[in-house]
Amino acid sequence: MVLDPIAIDFETYYAKGECDIRTLGNWAYCRHPDWEASLVSVYSNGISYVGSPKEAPWAQITKHGTLLAHNAAFDQTVLERLVELGEIPESMLSKEWIDTADLAAYLGAPRNLAG
């Protein structure tokens, strides 16, 4: 059961062929020396935030039970890295994730946002 879900999306630095998720994979990409998470957007009833992950209202966000993300494997890896760096609270690691890209594929729609 999805309890009190909140949508979350991270934007990160990208340089084709250098700091590139396709070349490195999620884990190594988030540990590249040039990598940074520059933006997070979160939305739910009562919370609407777009800005620096360091400034996000994590105390409010941690009260939500489930995180919704399109390509959750990527956003979850970014979140885990930000916890490692001490930029967001460790309590975010225990959240349930729902991947809306998986849901789209299950319904026979394209996984990408453009589709």
Side-chain angles (χ1 to χ4, degrees):
M1 178 191 298
V2 178
L3 297 175
D4 202 17
I6 187 165
I8 188 165
D9 182 49
F10 289 99
E11 298 300 325
T12 58
Y13 173 78
Y14 167 82
K16 188 174 183 178
E18 295 174 27
C19 186
D20 183 339
I21 197 166
R22 285 191 173 148
T23 305
L24 300 171
N26 287 346
W27 191 91
Y29 168 70
C30 289
R31 283 151 186 84
H32 189 280
D34 294 335
W35 178 89
E36 82 171 305
S38 54
L39 189 73
V40 65
S41 53
V42 291
Y43 182 82
S44 186
N45 291 333
I47 299 175
S48 179
Y49 174 83
V50 176
S52 168
K54 294 177 187 177
E55 307 290 324
W58 295 111
Q60 287 180 279
I61 295 167
T62 57
K63 294 177 184 176
H64 290 263
T66 303
L67 301 174
L68 303 173
H70 201 79
N71 190 5
F74 171 75
D75 290 291
Q76 186 171 11
T77 304
V78 171
L79 184 139
E80 290 169 356
R81 180 62 176 147
L82 292 172
V83 168
E84 287 176 15
L85 295 170
E87 295 183 13
I88 65 174
E90 194 171 320
S91 59
M92 291 299 297
L93 294 176
S94 64
K95 299 296 175 191
E96 175 187 13
W97 287 82
I98 293 178
D99 190 331
T100 59
D102 286 347
L103 176 60
Y106 175 79
L107 295 173
R111 288 183 56 89
N112 64 36
L113 290 172

